[in-house]
């Protein structure tokens, strides 16, 4: 199969994907249609190119915690209470100044619904 090698090819593939999307939704959504097959192939090529040229770094525990607190509508103080730690300790963890203990990471995973892999940076 071909490979996207340049930014110009990448931009052309993205433009074609934009053209194909409306043709593969709703009443036009047939899995074996030429448009859907082309969209699938182009999407795979674009994903491969992006993995190489635009990699997404694994988020830090601090970043994950900030997002989760926002999603759950929690303040640092309410999160600290939920996890059974002091507010200053929660602040240090959120700002990346200290690493939580494994038992606290386990509690975060359970009470904040964070995957262990994410919490441990795997």
């Amino acid at each position: 199969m071909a490979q996207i090698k340049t930014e110009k090819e990448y931009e052309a593939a993205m433009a074609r994907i934009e053209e194909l999307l409306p043709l593969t939704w709703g009443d036009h959504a047939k899995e074996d249609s030429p448009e859907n097959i082309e969209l699938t192939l182009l999407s795979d090529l674009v994903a491969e190119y992006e993995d190489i040229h635009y990699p997404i770094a694994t988020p830090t525990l601090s970043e994950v915690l900030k997002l989760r607190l926002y999603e759950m509508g929690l303040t640092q103080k309410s999160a600290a209470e939920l996890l059974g730690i002091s507010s200053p300790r929660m602040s240090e963890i959120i700002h990346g100044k200290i690493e939580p203990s494994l038992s606290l990471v386990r509690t975060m995973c359970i009470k904040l619904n964070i995957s262990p892999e994410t919490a441990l940076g795997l």
Side-chain angles (χ1 to χ4, degrees), residues 65-77:
L65 283 174
K66 288 175 187 175
L67 177 61
R68 182 62 75 210
L69 296 186
Y70 172 78
E71 290 172 341
M72 296 177 73
L74 297 172
T75 63
Q76 286 184 24
K77 183 179 179 183

Side-chain angles (χ1 to χ4, degrees), residues 14 16-26 28 35 39 43:
M14 291 297 291
R16 182 63 181 149
I17 286 172
E18 289 295 323
E19 293 171 0
L20 290 169
L21 282 172
L23 304 175
T24 59
W25 288 0
H28 307 287
E35 294 84 9
L39 177 62
S43 297

Side-chain angles (χ1 to χ4, degrees), residues 1 17 35-47:
M1 182 185 287
I17 286 172
E35 294 84 9
N36 205 3
I37 293 168
E38 182 182 2
L39 177 62
T40 301
L41 293 172
L42 278 175
S43 297
D44 290 345
L45 292 173
V46 164

Side-chain angles (χ1 to χ4, degrees), residues 36-98:
N36 205 3
I37 293 168
E38 182 182 2
L39 177 62
T40 301
L41 293 172
L42 278 175
S43 297
D44 290 345
L45 292 173
V46 164
E48 182 181 312
Y49 183 86
E50 288 177 342
D51 286 346
I52 295 168
H53 297 280
Y54 303 109
I56 298 173
T58 303
T60 64
L61 178 58
S62 174
E63 293 167 333
V64 171
L65 283 174
K66 288 175 187 175
L67 177 61
R68 182 62 75 210
L69 296 186
Y70 172 78
E71 290 172 341
M72 296 177 73
L74 297 172
T75 63
Q76 286 184 24
K77 183 179 179 183
S78 61
E81 290 172 2
L82 178 68
L83 298 172
I85 60 174
S86 68
S87 291
R89 186 168 178 211
M90 186 70 196
S91 177
E92 289 178 324
I93 293 168
I94 286 177
H95 291 94
K97 294 180 181 176
I98 64 168

